[in-house]
Amino acid sequence: NFTAPNPAQNRDFTKTLARVLHRPAIVPLPAAAVKLTMGEMGQALLLDGARVLPDKLQRSGFEFLHPTLELALKAELGL
């Protein structure tokens, strides 16, 4: 698996994506609805997170072309 050097929570990802696209991001994922409809699986898949870092890559001197979420999104979206 591969991961970015600066992990982001879904809330931060959504806000950054909205800013890059010049769109509003006003409706958060309602945790209560996820828990009610999907139970533990929804909690694990949609609400919980895992802070994973590319330690081995960084220790080896690897440099990311787009180290921040905003730069990566702009590059991927051609902006």
Side-chain angles (χ1 to χ4, degrees), residues 3-9 12 50-54:
T3 182
N6 299 300
Q9 293 182 336
D12 300 326
R51 185 174 176 85
V52 181
L53 297 170

Side-chain angles (χ1 to χ4, degrees), residues 10-15 21 24 26-27 30 34 36 41 51 56 59 61 63-64 66 79:
N10 185 44
R11 160 189 39 207
D12 300 326
F13 179 87
T14 303
K15 287 180 181 179
L21 294 174
I26 55 175
V27 181
V34 170
L36 181 65
M41 183 177 70
R51 185 174 176 85
K56 197 169 191 177
R59 283 194 309 269
E63 292 186 34
F64 287 82
H66 309 294
L79 303 174

Side-chain angles (χ1 to χ4, degrees), residues 1-70:
N1 292 341
F2 198 76
T3 182
N6 299 300
Q9 293 182 336
N10 185 44
R11 160 189 39 207
D12 300 326
F13 179 87
T14 303
K15 287 180 181 179
T16 303
L17 180 60
R19 184 174 58 249
V20 167
L21 294 174
H22 305 290
R23 300 281 191 269
I26 55 175
V27 181
L29 180 63
V34 170
K35 291 176 186 176
L36 181 65
T37 59
M38 299 180 71
E40 288 182 34
M41 183 177 70
Q43 176 76 34
L45 292 175
L46 301 174
L47 302 175
D48 290 346
R51 185 174 176 85
V52 181
L53 297 170
D55 289 332
K56 197 169 191 177
L57 274 177
Q58 290 179 311
R59 283 194 309 269
S60 72
F62 182 85
E63 292 186 34
F64 287 82
L65 186 59
H66 309 294
T68 66
L69 177 58
E70 187 165 345

